Amino acid sequence: MNENASSHILVVDDDREIRDLLSRFLVKHGLRVSSAKDGVEMMKALDGSAIDLVVLDLMMPGEDGLSLCRRLRATSTIPVIMLTAMGEDTDRIVGLEMGADDYLPKPFNPRELLARIKAVLRRAQTATTPAAVAGEALRFEGWSLEVGSRQLLNAAGEEVPLSTGEWELLYAFVTHPRRVLTRDQLLDLARGRSAVPFDRSIDIQVMRLRRKIEDDPREPRLIKTVRGGGYMFAAEVAF
């Protein structure tokens, strides 16, 4: 049985040919697929179905992919793979800042998209790792990282939404406190072997995490930058 056979993918693109091509290809490889031509249809699909991952085109008429990703991420942790124009590094970086879990430049090989979908789904569906037991809470500076439910709770017990990538990165930090971790180590811990070479998205994810957990993201106390080394989670963690 295909490991992603029950996964439901939402393809959002204003180009009907691309939507139809991707839908046929992904269904052929064991995935359930819905499609939407714009943000209105996307929101209807999300309201009406249990979607496991969104493939979201950046450039669309009306509300663009960046705005839609920001809206989605404000209320949901559904993984997002952003489709961007070839060579548009600024769009890729902004997409990651908005909460996308991965990106793929157009034109692309559908097989590469399938591989990235499977990799992101594996990360999203992994509820535990060898270093923790389901139901365990990791606490630091008034925060609680709930391993079983994959939630981050603040001191008031309120959930702070995290994308899949943010959760995995924070988990990597919290389970390796007061250790300098290079970007390569963080990629390996947070994203596994699915990470592409020279991927700098770790820096974007760190910046977004700081905005959520630091009192002053410009003067971080929890996630410190180590010049020439990488990053260190400086808080004491109660396991």
Side-chain angles (χ1 to χ4, degrees), residues 18 65 121 150 160 185 237:
I18 291 179
L121 285 173
R150 295 174 70 85
V160 176
Q185 287 173 319
V237 179

Side-chain angles (χ1 to χ4, degrees), residues 49-125:
S49 303
I51 301 297
D52 296 298
L53 182 144
V54 178
V55 176
L56 179 60
D57 185 33
L58 175 70
M59 298 300 294
M60 293 189 296
E63 191 171 7
D64 65 18
L66 292 177
S67 176
L68 289 169
C69 186
R70 185 192 299 112
R71 269 216 287 159
L72 177 63
R73 193 52 74 230
T75 58
S76 171
T77 59
I78 295 174
V80 175
I81 296 179
M82 189 80 76
L83 302 180
T84 68
M86 176 64 81
E88 295 295 332
D89 287 342
T90 300
D91 290 338
R92 171 179 63 83
I93 292 170
V94 173
L96 291 169
E97 288 179 337
M98 291 302 101
D101 294 271
D102 205 349
Y103 71 94
L104 193 61
K106 289 183 173 181
F108 56 85
N109 186 321
R111 291 186 178 277
E112 182 176 1
L113 176 61
L114 176 64
R116 289 176 182 263
I117 286 172
K118 289 183 176 181
V120 172
L121 285 173
R122 279 196 298 270
R123 299 201 303 270
Q125 293 168 353

Side-chain angles (χ1 to χ4, degrees), residues 9 93 193 211:
I9 311 301
I93 292 170
R193 299 299 178 180
R211 289 174 182 168

Side-chain angles (χ1 to χ4, degrees), residues 8-13 15-16 18-23 32-38 41-42 44-46 51 55:
H8 192 173
I9 311 301
L10 176 61
V11 176
V12 185
D13 198 303
D15 189 319
R16 181 175 180 177
I18 291 179
R19 293 198 309 272
D20 291 346
L21 170 67
L22 289 181
S23 294
R32 291 185 295 137
V33 181
S34 294
S35 64
K37 70 176 185 294
D38 56 25
E41 290 191 357
M42 168 182 158
K44 286 182 179 178
L46 290 169
I51 301 297
V55 176

